[in-house]
Amino acid sequence: MVVLISFLFILMVICLPVIGGIVSFGGAFLLNKRAARVCLVVSVFTLGILSILFVPFIRNDLYRYFQTMQSVQYLQNLHQFFEYAKTDPVLQYQNNPLFNIFEFEIAKTHHFYLLPYIDTIICYACILYPIFDLKEQGKVSNVISLWLAFGAISTFYFFYILTFVRWAIACALFVLTNYLYFYKLKKLKYVFILIIPAFIHTGIILALLISIYVAVLKEIKIKNIIIPIPFFASVLIASLMMNVSGGSENFILKMIGMFQSYTSFARPSDLSDWIVFIANLVGTWVLVLVAAYFAMNSKERLKNKFTALMTLQALFYAFLIASIQITERYSLIVSLIALIVIAGNYQNISSKDRVLPIILISGSILIKAYAAYLRFKGMEFSTPLSTAIFSNIFFYIKELMKNFPTLYWW
């Protein structure tokens, strides 16, 4: 029977990888041990397979990356690439050598859709592993872990991953490295792993500073939570009152300038945009409040560093409300940390005390799922969606091997 089920599972993944990815996602959290691990790996590689067919508009970051890869694909080596990067405005704007090298190496293959596909693999692996691991440890039930994992992919919705590639990867790595450090490693000598996301997107450095601050604290007390608040307020006031030039060499001023630039060009433009923004804002705060309830009713309370991390990140999130796009981007970090706190403390709450929190969590996840659906509706694919869903793995391999991506110029 096991052999037959395994054969049918493999056949489904080969013949219908999109549907196989959804089934694998469920199996990763409803099953246990080896079968669950296999399903997790398969889901990570198949959930984002539609990225191979995504057609970016000019406003999408992926559009810019495709253009850059077309420009650098015939350069012979890294030396030539670095020389080219000194004069290319896009590569200067990205200002992340690690990601630039990654982009160049993909460009040399001439298979550009490897970039968005690998992007989705990294993001899904990073955001699903913490919840999966806590489920495997018995910290949260299988059904609830599946629901929380669905909340994670609703937060890191498909459109966002493919539109803000570097930021999505940086946030996903942030979630994973913080989980590994605060739940697994717990020793200061490993604190260096917390800075890894900054090599993908420097805009995440302020979030990393909060993580490092929590990591170096010997003990968690209320006063330690209060100490960074004046800094948060200073960033907010400066972003509202100062006129910061883009060429400033000061790190803090650069961050403030970035907030201001995002505020000026990235406000929601229509009703759909506002619905998505408000849905993510409300959904995130509901998750934070429920996570705080779970944490405060656990034995460790605020002594748990990951709970303190969530508290500080949420406070900083509140101070970023002046910049709408930064707020929307930061919700990825805060929501995922809250989901991990909920999963880690789920078994510490009695069954009768879980009812209202689970209702609130469910409402938050459904709100975020609706926002994800609105964004997905606006995506364009090179193949009709109905055809893509029922295409086999060889179709996707063929599409992945295409030399040039399809671009929309308007």
Side-chain angles (χ1 to χ4, degrees):
M1 180 60 71
V2 174
V3 174
L4 178 60
I5 292 174
S6 300
F7 173 76
L8 292 175
F9 175 70
I10 294 170
L11 189 64
M12 177 180 61
V13 171
I14 293 174
C15 296
L16 300 168
V18 174
I19 296 174
I22 296 171
V23 173
S24 300
F25 172 72
F29 294 93
L30 295 178
L31 302 175
N32 294 302
K33 299 181 179 179
R34 184 178 179 181
R37 291 191 291 270
V38 170
C39 284
L40 179 67
V41 172
V42 172
S43 67
V44 163
F45 279 88
T46 52
L47 282 175
I49 202 165
L50 286 176
S51 61
I52 297 170
L53 307 175
F54 176 56
V55 181
F57 285 90
I58 193 169
R59 65 180 179 270
N60 300 144
D61 285 355
L62 187 60
Y63 179 95
R64 184 175 75 239
Y65 301 144
F66 280 161
Q67 286 191 314
T68 300
M69 288 192 287
Q70 286 178 347
S71 300
V72 304
Q73 62 181 319
Y74 296 112
L75 298 178
Q76 297 300 312
N77 51 51
L78 283 175
H79 174 72
Q80 290 184 6
F81 174 70
F82 288 138
E83 289 300 313
Y84 177 84
K86 291 178 181 178
T87 58
D88 183 78
V90 174
L91 292 172
Q92 287 293 308
Y93 168 76
Q94 290 172 195
N95 194 29
N96 288 94
L98 183 62
F99 182 84
N100 290 348
I101 292 171
F102 174 60
E103 191 176 6
F104 171 62
E105 293 299 330
I106 290 177
K108 285 180 64 178
T109 69
H110 307 296
H111 305 308
F112 298 167
Y113 271 100
L114 281 169
L115 177 61
Y117 182 52
I118 293 173
D119 169 32
T120 59
I121 291 172
I122 292 172
C123 288
Y124 287 135
C126 290
I127 66 175
L128 293 179
Y129 173 75
I131 298 173
F132 175 84
D133 188 53
L134 290 170
K135 183 266 297 186
E136 290 290 282
Q137 295 178 40
K139 298 286 187 180
V140 61
S141 68
N142 291 24
V143 173
I144 296 299
S145 71
L146 175 62
W147 191 229
L148 296 180
F150 178 70
I153 63 173
S154 296
T155 298
F156 265 76
Y157 49 80
F158 195 51
F159 174 83
Y160 206 97
I161 292 175
L162 297 182
T163 301
F164 302 104
V165 177
R166 286 190 301 133
W167 182 258
I169 295 176
C171 287
L173 287 172
F174 178 90
V175 170
L176 179 64
T177 54
N178 277 265
Y179 174 77
L180 292 176
Y181 180 83
F182 289 106
Y183 273 88
K184 299 285 191 179
L185 303 174
K186 300 180 181 179
K187 293 183 179 179
L188 199 56
K189 66 179 181 179
Y190 298 114
V191 74
F192 69 89
I193 73 167
L194 297 178
I195 69 172
I196 292 174
F199 290 103
I200 303 297
H201 199 302
T202 53
I204 205 168
I205 288 178
L206 291 177
L208 301 186
L209 292 177
I210 296 172
S211 297
I212 294 170
Y213 171 75
V214 175
V216 300
L217 290 175
K218 291 184 178 179
E219 56 181 338
I220 301 299
K221 295 181 179 179
I222 295 296
K223 67 177 183 179
N224 294 329
I225 302 295
I226 296 173
I227 287 173
I229 291 180
F231 170 73
F232 300 161
S234 299
V235 171
L236 173 65
I237 293 169
S239 66
L240 292 174
M241 300 183 64
M242 294 177 63
N243 183 16
V244 180
S245 65
S248 175
E249 294 299 321
N250 183 281
F251 165 72
I252 298 297
L253 291 180
K254 278 186 176 181
M255 293 296 103
I256 293 170
M258 182 183 69
F259 294 162
Q260 292 175 339
S261 66
Y262 280 132
T263 302
S264 63
F265 79 81
R267 290 185 180 278
S269 58
D270 54 31
L271 180 61
S272 177
D273 282 351
W274 277 110
I275 290 173
V276 171
F277 173 74
I278 294 171
N280 281 322
L281 186 69
V282 172
T284 298
W285 278 112
V286 170
L287 288 178
V288 168
L289 293 175
V290 173
Y293 169 80
F294 272 75
M296 292 302 293
N297 283 277
S298 70
K299 295 178 181 179
E300 294 183 327
R301 295 178 182 265
L302 273 178
K303 293 181 181 179
N304 185 298
K305 283 195 171 185
F306 203 82
T307 302
L309 173 70
M310 183 196 71
T311 304
L312 277 174
Q313 297 289 0
L315 285 172
F316 190 42
Y317 177 62
F319 279 98
L320 294 178
I321 191 66
S323 177
I324 289 176
Q325 189 175 5
I326 293 294
T327 302
E328 185 179 24
R329 290 185 175 206
Y330 215 80
S331 69
L332 301 181
I333 293 172
V334 178
S335 295
L336 264 294
I337 291 175
L339 286 169
I340 293 171
V341 170
I342 291 168
N345 292 282
Y346 182 78
Q347 296 293 4
N348 296 328
I349 308 296
S350 63
S351 299
K352 65 177 182 179
D353 292 331
R354 293 176 192 157
V355 177
L356 180 58
I358 291 301
I359 292 174
L360 292 174
I361 292 169
S362 298
S364 174
I365 290 174
L366 290 174
I367 288 172
K368 285 180 170 288
Y370 179 64
Y373 166 71
L374 289 179
R375 287 304 193 206
F376 186 78
K377 278 178 61 178
M379 296 178 71
E380 296 286 343
F381 298 94
S382 58
T383 299
L385 200 57
S386 57
T387 301
I389 290 173
F390 295 101
S391 295
N392 61 44
I393 193 71
F394 304 105
F395 166 80
Y396 284 97
I397 293 172
K398 178 183 175 182
E399 292 295 310
L400 188 62
M401 294 298 106
K402 281 185 176 179
N403 286 342
F404 295 102
T406 304
L407 296 175
Y408 280 166
W409 295 91
W410 54 82

